[in-house]
Amino acid sequence: MARPGIIPTIWGGLSVSPDAGGRVWRGLRSNRLLLVAVILAMVIAGLALIVPLLPLQDPLATDYDHTLQAPGKGHVLGTDLHGRDVLSRVLWASRPSLLVGVIATSLALLAGIAAGGLASMGGRFTDAFLMRVADAFLSFPAILGAIAIMAVLGPGLRNVFFAIAVFGWPVFARLFRSSVLATREMDYVKAARVLGASGTTVFIRHILPNSITPVLAYTALAAAAAILAEAGLSFINLGVQRPEPSWGLMLAESRGLFEQAPWMAVAPGVAVTVTTIIFIMIGSAVSRPMAPVVAGEGRSS
Amino acid sequence: MNDTVLRVNDLHVAYVKEDSVVEAVKGVDFSVSAGSVLAIIGGSGAGKSSVALAVAGLHDQRKARVTGKVILEHDDIIQMSEDQLDDIRGARVGMIFQDSRGALDPTMKVVNQVAEAIRRHHHLSREEARTEALKRLHSAGVAKDLLRHAPYAHQLSSGLCQRVMISIALAGDPILLVADEPTGSLDLTRQAQIMRLLRERVAASGLGMILITHDLGLATSIADDLLVMRGGSQVEYGPCEEVIKSPGHEYTNELFGLWRQTCFGKGKGHAHT
């Protein structure tokens, strides 16, 4: 029996089988970077989920007798200009950030897959039209575009989802389109067609599972970018609105106070950086096994 | 059995390019009977694969001009619409490819690929199709235990991949099987095993088979009839034994001469290609 020559996808395929859980675990174990990143992401997501159950102070409760208090007993990460507990606010702020990471990226992913799928399978005119629209979006700085959308729609988390997704879908569309175009030319797709599978069956059963992996790998990177974008929009007061906690908003509130109360900037700064790095680690780790591996040789980077 | 499964008359295939037309097949006539094997042999660029594609109705009508008659039982494949061709693919015409590993989906278990092909042509539940797939794979020489340890195509040898491919190609119980260089990537032992398997299937199912190959030894070991092509034209066609015994064309004679030299070392040198 020949050993694997080419490892085609992350865990040898996306088809669901009774052993799928086992394969995912084996894949995670053999990819340490991914394992570490996934555990850290689960810790952050877990904290965001259980934050209401934690014995924390109210993130909105002001205490003007204890403003700009340094980290210590009672306030592990200190207090801000209004005497609010920074630890509590940092933990509560993980919720909108992760929500933006998940929802805005999912919206962009779905729109991108729909547009990319349509472009790759829908004929020359549809392809040219959709790709020119995608190019138009890509040629515009995403953060400026998002600011423009927020300026029109008004601030608020729901509009942040939309603004980020609007400028996120073209990369997914381009990635999925090129992946489908490459997969469409594979022998197994032609073989399935020759042996009687309908166009729809071939797309769903063979092209989609083989084209989606690079797109999913990019999803983690896009989520990291979305979290940063949310922090940026909140920083300029277009995202989460006061007094709700947000990492970007907390950084904005720390402006001019760094020498006096550095903890106000360090805590949310570290939170947004670590979360972004974790998502980037997941994206990089997931992308790595997709590089073709020749048996007995090292994996190409 | 002498029922004609396929009759090809005056088949021409021309590939239309931007500023030229390349004539790949220039008037080919042959027929294939149920339970028999026709081998089409010839060198590279002889037009063998173009004939195979025309028989399976696989030419892109925007890029190729196909004329003549390709009668599968009573239906002319050349006159069929794309929807009609979809109906015969897999169900009445099966096809096997040279690179069987490449022809199998790397992300899907091979047993599921066979089951999917079976379900496409037979009204079976998912579980029934899977059981049938395992049965067919077993009879093609792919053990159930092996598939438990190596369920994906990239974990199987080329010979096993070809056996899986044969099971998929025959899943719809076609009346005609087109095998385009099916053993091109296999060693001699596996070539013989695959050829034996194909011959058994042809005999058992009574289907007609077209074998496209440049390997004369392989062709003569399995074929009932032989069609020799050169530069897109048919130079010789007839029962295999007759063609071997008394080649009627200079090119066929030359081809057999080179083959004998290669096999038995007669003459001045070897004709490895």
Side-chain angles (χ1 to χ4, degrees):
Chain A
M1 193 173 65
R3 291 321 314 155
I6 300 288
I7 296 175
T9 57
I10 305 171
W11 294 304
L14 294 165
S15 52
V16 178
S17 69
D19 191 33
R23 275 191 295 125
V24 169
W25 172 239
R26 282 195 295 277
L28 277 175
R29 263 200 332 191
S30 64
N31 192 337
R32 294 282 164 85
L33 178 67
L34 184 60
L35 183 64
V36 170
V38 166
I39 289 173
L40 290 174
M42 283 168 76
V43 168
I44 292 180
L47 278 174
L49 271 175
I50 63 162
V51 72
L53 306 174
L54 296 176
L56 295 168
Q57 293 179 24
D58 184 349
L60 305 181
T62 52
D63 180 359
Y64 291 101
D65 293 333
H66 296 96
T67 57
L68 300 179
Q69 198 174 314
K73 205 177 172 189
H75 299 286
V76 179
L77 293 179
T79 61
D80 65 7
L81 196 58
H82 303 283
R84 295 173 297 198
D85 184 57
V86 172
L87 173 66
S88 174
R89 285 182 70 74
V90 164
L91 289 177
W92 275 94
S94 63
R95 293 188 138 205
S97 286
L98 292 181
L99 217 55
V100 166
V102 172
I103 294 179
T105 309
S106 302
L107 289 174
L109 173 72
L110 290 176
I113 284 179
L118 213 60
S120 57
M121 306 296 286
R124 205 175 290 176
F125 176 77
T126 316
D127 184 20
F129 174 73
L130 286 169
M131 286 305 104
R132 292 304 78 76
V133 173
D135 287 346
F137 276 92
L138 284 172
S139 63
F140 201 75
I143 191 71
L144 285 184
I147 289 169
I149 289 176
M150 296 301 291
V152 173
L153 298 178
L157 202 55
R158 197 178 298 177
N159 293 341
V160 172
F161 299 149
F162 179 70
I164 292 174
V166 162
F167 283 90
W169 73 269
V171 181
F172 284 109
R174 277 222 162 269
L175 205 57
F176 188 59
R177 173 188 171 272
S178 58
S179 189
V180 168
L181 289 180
T183 307
R184 212 172 60 172
E185 294 306 313
M186 301 305 280
D187 283 350
Y188 55 85
V189 172
K190 290 179 183 166
R193 201 79 185 88
V194 167
L195 293 170
S198 68
T200 315
T201 305
V202 168
F203 185 78
I204 293 170
R205 302 281 289 171
H206 301 288
I207 295 179
L208 191 62
N210 284 289
S211 309
I212 201 82
T213 317
V215 179
L216 292 182
Y218 177 72
T219 303
L221 299 174
I227 289 169
L228 274 181
E230 184 278 326
L233 289 171
S234 296
F235 187 85
I236 55 172
N237 208 23
L238 285 173
V240 175
Q241 293 297 292
R242 290 185 173 90
E244 295 297 324
S246 152
W247 292 331
L249 201 58
M250 290 173 76
L251 282 167
E253 287 168 348
S254 73
R255 272 182 301 179
L257 293 167
F258 189 76
E259 283 183 15
Q260 204 178 339
W263 55 88
M264 277 182 68
V266 170
V270 167
V272 74
T273 307
V274 167
T275 309
T276 308
I277 288 173
I278 287 169
F279 277 95
I280 292 171
M281 277 165 69
I282 293 175
S284 310
V286 167
S287 315
R288 201 192 291 173
M290 287 187 305
V293 179
V294 177
E297 291 179 15
R299 183 172 281 154
S300 60
S301 59
Chain B
M1 276 183 280
N2 283 318
D3 306 337
T4 302
V5 171
L6 179 81
R7 207 175 68 246
V8 174
N9 294 121
D10 198 26
L11 176 67
H12 288 258
V13 179
Y15 294 105
V16 185
K17 296 189 175 176
E18 274 180 19
D19 51 357
S20 63
V21 176
V22 179
E23 214 175 340
V25 180
K26 304 163 186 169
V28 170
D29 300 271
F30 63 85
S31 63
V32 181
S33 303
S36 77
V37 178
L38 166 77
I40 303 180
I41 60 165
S44 300
K48 308 185 296 291
S49 293
S50 293
V51 171
L53 292 176
V55 165
L58 291 174
H59 277 297
D60 186 340
Q61 289 168 3
R62 289 166 299 181
K63 294 175 186 167
R65 200 185 298 145
V66 185
T67 55
K69 284 192 184 305
V70 177
I71 311 291
L72 181 72
E73 290 184 312
H74 307 292
D75 307 313
D76 191 348
I77 286 178
I78 292 176
Q79 303 302 326
M80 284 183 181
S81 66
E82 199 54 36
D83 286 343
Q84 288 172 315
L85 285 170
D86 272 350
D87 291 339
I88 67 156
R89 285 172 188 154
R92 292 171 71 192
V93 181
M95 192 151 184
I96 304 172
F97 308 88
Q98 179 177 355
D99 178 16
S100 51
R101 197 196 302 278
L104 294 169
D105 189 332
T107 61
M108 197 173 175
K109 287 181 179 181
V110 293
V111 65
N112 292 344
Q113 296 186 55
V114 180
E116 185 188 274
I118 291 171
R119 283 194 80 199
R120 207 177 291 146
H121 305 291
H122 303 279
H123 295 291
L124 293 177
S125 69
R126 207 174 283 269
E127 203 44 50
E128 285 168 340
R130 194 182 152 78
T131 309
E132 180 65 23
L134 284 170
K135 205 169 92 185
R136 289 188 184 214
L137 282 167
H138 181 75
S139 71
V142 185
K144 193 176 171 182
D145 285 346
L146 178 73
L147 292 174
R148 203 171 293 139
H149 300 297
Y152 293 95
H154 66 272
Q155 296 172 311
L156 300 174
S157 68
S158 301
L160 285 168
C161 284
Q162 196 56 278
R163 288 170 189 271
V164 173
M165 198 63 231
I166 291 169
S167 303
I168 292 175
L170 298 177
D173 301 322
I175 52 168
L176 179 71
L177 183 65
V178 181
D180 191 359
E181 306 271 9
T183 57
S185 57
L186 304 180
D187 60 47
L188 278 175
T189 317
R190 291 201 170 80
Q191 278 188 9
Q193 289 169 348
I194 294 296
M195 279 301 139
R196 198 180 311 134
L197 176 66
L198 286 172
R199 186 76 241 195
E200 281 169 13
R201 288 289 182 272
V202 167
S205 318
L207 56 92
M209 176 172 148
I210 296 176
L211 172 69
I212 310 288
T213 182
H214 61 267
D215 187 335
L216 205 52
L218 201 70
T220 52
S221 71
I222 186 174
D224 299 291
D225 298 305
L226 212 56
L227 172 70
V228 185
M229 289 186 71
R230 186 192 192 187
S233 301
Q234 172 178 331
V235 296
E236 189 113 25
Y237 170 56
C240 193
E241 281 179 22
E242 275 181 32
V243 175
I244 295 171
K245 210 181 287 174
S246 50
H249 194 277
E250 181 84 6
Y251 177 68
T252 318
N253 215 0
E254 199 179 306
L255 213 60
F256 278 110
L258 284 168
W259 174 55
R260 286 191 194 100
Q261 274 182 23
T262 312
C263 293
F264 308 114
K266 289 175 186 172
K268 286 177 185 171
H270 297 281
H272 289 297
T273 52

